[in-house]
Amino acid sequence: MAPEDRQTLSWWAAFSACGLVLMLHFSLVQLYNMPLSPLQLRFINQLSSYVNPFFSQKWSFFAPTPIDRSYSLVARARYVDKHSDQPGTTDWFDVSDPLIDALRKNRLTPLFDMEIGVSNALISVVNALPSNPDDTYSKDGRTYIRPTIPAATSPLDMMVLRRTALAMLEVAYPGKRFQQIQLGVVVGVFPRFTERHDPGSRTQWSFFSVDWQPTEWVTPYCCQSLRARASAGTQQR
Amino acid sequence: MWHSLTRLREFASERHRLISLSLMRICFGTIVLTYYAQHVAQRAFLWGDNGMVPFSAFDLMMRSQHSLSLYMLSPSPFYEALIFYLGFIVTIAFTLGYRTRIFSILFYIFTWSLFERNGWLLDGGDNLLYLVAFFLMFTYCGEYFSLDAWMGHTSNHGKNKLLAMIHNYGVLAIITQLSLLYFTSAFYKIQGKMWQNGTAIYYILNVNEFRLSGFAHHFYDSGIVVTLLTWCTIVFQMAWPFLIWNRRLKPLVFLGALSLHSMIGYFMGLVWFSAVMLTSELIIFSDSEVRYGVHLFRRAVFRCRLLHLRGRGMTAAEADASAPCYAEHNKV
């Protein structure tokens, strides 16, 4: 075989091999991404081990059901004053709203990451509630969230919420040594689409808290902008 | 048959979409660079051991997910800072197009490592960014607007037919990845009741964290606007993988994406996500289409200038003489 023919043949072999690899790759990725099906269920372990973590992707943005209520994180802490050694408890401190407010004023604020971190963790905790019998109770055939849920619910997300709240509390309440922290979630159900022009229709607020948790030292979130936001959080509580 | 195969080989051995890829390199690099620069002061909280996610939890998650990150190797603040600033330098080199092949690989590794260090900070754009960055490693993304091109490192790149073919598969992979993103997103949406009845946008724009603009109520107060926006989003996403193959419709597709993602960025505050999505859209344009676009833009600028000069009372001949030579501008 002439060297040129050999080169052509190897080119075609490589071309076919790359094409097959690409087809196989995207077939596996897409099968894993689509809604649950018998085919996906049959190969879920193999698909998961191929796709995760390096090709993991989630494109079901706000679908099939978009979020239809607002969640805000609030927190309060038990502390000992560093100077007087007097114990005390802070008021409820709004963690989410000052961050959202910062984003409202500047779409490129560095606080966006803190805001999205809180939001992602909060949604995960809320989504985990129905599957945990310790977090809910039933009455008249309906399921309700308990007024206070255990701190063990969705522990990694809870850790992110706790540490973010602590970082903000440390900025808002300087000179305090925090010993315990309690998180709370404010749920706001705004008027449904058909009621949006109804003058009597208002956002319905509800609240549940998380058991008190021990604190750990967390690097305070930097910069002056947060200091202003944090003091806004104490005023908005 | 033989003739078609020869033409296919010729087509696949010639590198395509080099300008779009170079622009993508610059835009992705700039996005990540801005991200690094913006968070220098918050680095310890966002990615440090005493920050949002302690090293022990991060290490546990990495091991359970069989994932890897450069930040896994040590919890020391010095090491974390070292990787962070090395990532910064790598991103600068990648954006400038210096030794692009090597730095595109390093860019992927460092960006992946940063995103893995704290998964709670991700907004979807990061997900697409590291997937596209993976495929960019196989492409010649430093052929234009780069230090490599300036220093003459790219002059021999087009000669290897095998590498050109791999480059083209990289381009195809990026297009396929985007097509699957849009298709999957639309596929999930059409299954949702609120998307079907045209009210989804109302609920999204009313959620506290997305109710950022004072103008948003102009959209969600009107039933017609809400329904149109909701349905147009689905139609656009569903149609994207099919429309991008039509030369005439491509500019419209890009304008559609520009409108959709600008609105997401402004009204919902997901600026990084929007920037990544818009950058990825550049891949739909071939080199000749980019050149033609630049040509049209320059012609429009030239005509505006001409009209302006004539408006100031110059005669056509004087205006033509004063305006920059169009023939010069025509060189793209």
Side-chain angles (χ1 to χ4, degrees):
Chain A
M1 193 185 283
E4 202 175 299
D5 290 343
R6 213 176 303 144
Q7 214 174 21
T8 309
L9 205 64
S10 29
W11 188 92
W12 277 110
F15 179 78
S16 314
C18 289
L20 280 172
V21 167
L22 211 62
M23 270 168 57
L24 188 68
H25 167 78
F26 281 114
S27 304
L28 295 176
V29 166
Q30 193 53 14
L31 190 55
Y32 187 71
N33 280 340
M34 292 300 270
L36 199 62
S37 63
L39 185 64
Q40 194 192 62
L41 215 54
R42 169 78 179 76
F43 299 106
I44 192 75
N45 290 334
Q46 293 89 329
L47 287 171
S48 173
S49 58
Y50 176 72
V51 172
N52 293 319
F54 296 104
F55 301 114
S56 71
Q57 43 199 285
K58 197 166 184 290
W59 308 130
S60 54
F61 307 120
F62 305 104
T65 307
I67 183 168
D68 65 348
R69 59 201 62 201
S70 304
Y71 297 100
S72 296
L73 179 70
V74 293
R76 62 177 176 173
R78 288 177 181 149
Y79 63 86
V80 173
D81 192 281
K82 281 179 188 168
H83 306 293
S84 64
D85 271 349
Q86 288 293 310
T89 305
T90 67
D91 291 316
W92 282 106
F93 172 83
D94 197 327
V95 177
S96 298
D97 283 356
L99 300 173
I100 294 169
D101 195 41
L103 185 61
R104 195 170 284 133
K105 292 195 172 105
N106 172 15
R107 300 290 190 277
L108 292 171
T109 174
L111 296 176
F112 168 72
D113 286 78
M114 209 169 177
E115 190 273 317
I116 200 150
V118 169
S119 170
N120 285 338
L122 207 51
I123 298 293
S124 295
V125 168
V126 170
N127 287 342
L129 294 178
S131 58
N132 190 354
D134 291 342
D135 299 332
T136 53
Y137 66 95
S138 294
K139 192 178 166 188
D140 303 330
R142 294 184 69 180
T143 305
Y144 296 90
I145 299 169
R146 289 181 190 280
T148 302
I149 64 164
T153 302
S154 196
L156 286 172
D157 298 301
M158 204 61 91
M159 173 197 73
V160 168
L161 295 178
R162 185 179 67 237
R163 291 173 76 93
T164 309
L166 270 170
M168 288 189 73
L169 281 166
E170 275 164 16
V171 180
Y173 294 91
K176 307 279 189 281
R177 203 166 39 244
F178 296 110
Q179 296 188 314
Q180 281 189 311
I181 183 168
Q182 185 174 35
L183 303 175
V185 178
V186 180
V187 186
V189 181
F190 47 82
R192 304 296 84 182
F193 181 74
T194 47
E195 300 159 358
R196 69 192 187 287
H197 295 311
D198 182 353
S201 181
R202 294 248 152 75
T203 300
Q204 304 291 315
W205 298 101
S206 57
F207 174 80
F208 67 89
S209 61
V210 183
D211 278 339
W212 284 93
Q213 303 174 64
T215 59
E216 57 265 72
W217 187 80
V218 177
T219 311
Y221 198 86
C222 157
C223 69
Q224 200 61 38
S225 61
L226 185 72
R227 264 178 216 123
R229 303 284 164 217
S231 53
T234 54
Q235 285 156 17
Q236 284 177 14
R237 66 186 178 262
Chain B
M1 168 76 178
W2 185 247
H3 182 62
S4 305
L5 285 174
T6 310
R7 279 183 60 190
L8 175 63
R9 189 175 176 223
E10 277 168 12
F11 179 79
S13 302
E14 189 188 325
R15 297 171 306 155
H16 297 277
R17 315 224 165 176
L18 293 169
I19 302 178
S20 299
L21 286 167
S22 300
L23 291 172
M24 283 171 74
R25 184 199 80 239
I26 294 168
C27 293
F28 278 144
T30 308
I31 290 168
V32 177
L33 211 53
T34 315
Y35 192 71
Y36 271 114
Q38 199 186 29
H39 293 106
V40 166
Q42 292 83 28
R43 182 178 49 74
F45 178 75
L46 296 175
W47 299 291
D49 186 24
N50 289 316
M52 198 186 256
V53 184
F55 184 83
S56 53
F58 161 63
D59 193 50
L60 193 74
M61 281 188 296
M62 287 290 98
R63 287 178 200 285
S64 68
Q65 293 164 7
H66 305 289
S67 188
L68 295 167
S69 168
L70 292 171
Y71 291 87
M72 275 175 83
L73 300 179
S74 167
S76 127
F78 172 75
Y79 177 77
E80 176 262 314
L82 180 75
I83 296 297
F84 183 86
Y85 288 112
L86 276 177
F88 207 143
I89 293 165
V90 163
T91 308
I92 292 171
F94 173 74
T95 311
L96 294 176
Y98 176 71
R99 301 281 175 197
T100 316
R101 182 71 75 187
I102 297 165
F103 276 99
S104 63
I105 296 169
L106 290 174
F107 173 74
Y108 173 73
I109 294 171
F110 276 86
T111 308
W112 166 268
S113 296
L114 185 75
F115 290 160
E116 282 294 278
R117 179 62 185 86
N118 187 348
W120 278 271
L121 305 181
L122 308 185
D123 65 0
D126 342 61
N127 196 169
L128 179 65
L129 196 150
Y130 66 66
L131 289 168
V132 174
F134 176 79
F135 295 120
L136 274 181
M137 295 192 293
F138 300 96
T139 66
Y140 289 98
C141 58
E143 297 298 289
Y144 287 87
F145 325 117
S146 67
L147 287 177
D148 280 350
W150 188 57
M151 293 189 294
H153 291 159
T154 56
S155 49
N156 294 328
H157 281 175
K159 291 176 183 164
N160 190 323
K161 288 185 174 181
L162 200 64
L163 288 178
M165 181 264 290
I166 291 171
H167 160 91
N168 290 328
Y169 268 127
V171 173
L172 185 63
I174 295 171
I175 296 174
T176 312
Q177 180 61 70
L178 271 172
S179 301
L180 292 183
L181 182 159
Y182 278 119
F183 178 78
T184 312
S185 185
F187 195 84
Y188 275 96
K189 283 186 176 74
I190 52 173
Q191 295 177 66
K193 201 177 160 190
M194 293 178 195
W195 289 98
Q196 289 168 8
N197 65 23
T199 60
I201 298 288
Y202 167 81
Y203 290 101
I204 294 168
L205 288 180
N206 265 291
V207 172
N208 194 21
E209 62 176 301
F210 300 130
R211 204 175 52 233
L212 301 178
S213 168
F215 296 111
H217 72 91
H218 292 300
F219 293 99
Y220 63 67
D221 272 354
S222 159
I224 295 169
V225 176
V226 165
T227 308
L228 282 177
L229 282 176
T230 305
W231 287 348
C232 283
T233 306
I234 303 177
V235 170
F236 172 77
Q237 291 187 327
M238 192 56 101
W240 194 94
F242 307 102
L243 299 185
I244 55 161
W245 303 105
N246 185 308
R247 287 174 75 103
R248 286 171 191 275
L249 292 175
K250 268 187 212 181
L252 283 179
V253 174
F254 188 76
L255 278 178
L258 191 66
S259 315
L260 176 70
H261 295 300
S262 305
M263 285 171 79
I264 290 174
Y266 177 71
F267 287 108
M268 297 169 68
L270 299 171
V271 176
W272 300 113
F273 168 79
S274 302
V276 171
M277 289 300 297
L278 280 174
T279 299
S280 308
E281 293 276 340
L282 292 170
I283 196 68
I284 66 175
F285 295 110
S286 68
D287 288 353
S288 58
E289 286 161 349
V290 174
R291 286 196 179 99
Y292 186 63
V294 173
H295 161 77
L296 289 181
F297 177 73
R298 283 184 170 175
R299 198 170 65 178
V301 170
F302 174 79
R303 283 188 176 165
C304 286
R305 181 100 190 263
L306 212 59
L307 281 173
H308 175 69
L309 290 172
R310 282 180 183 170
R312 285 168 60 187
M314 287 188 182
T315 63
E318 282 170 342
D320 286 347
S322 305
C325 178
Y326 179 62
E328 282 297 310
H329 276 261
N330 210 7
K331 285 179 188 169
V332 272

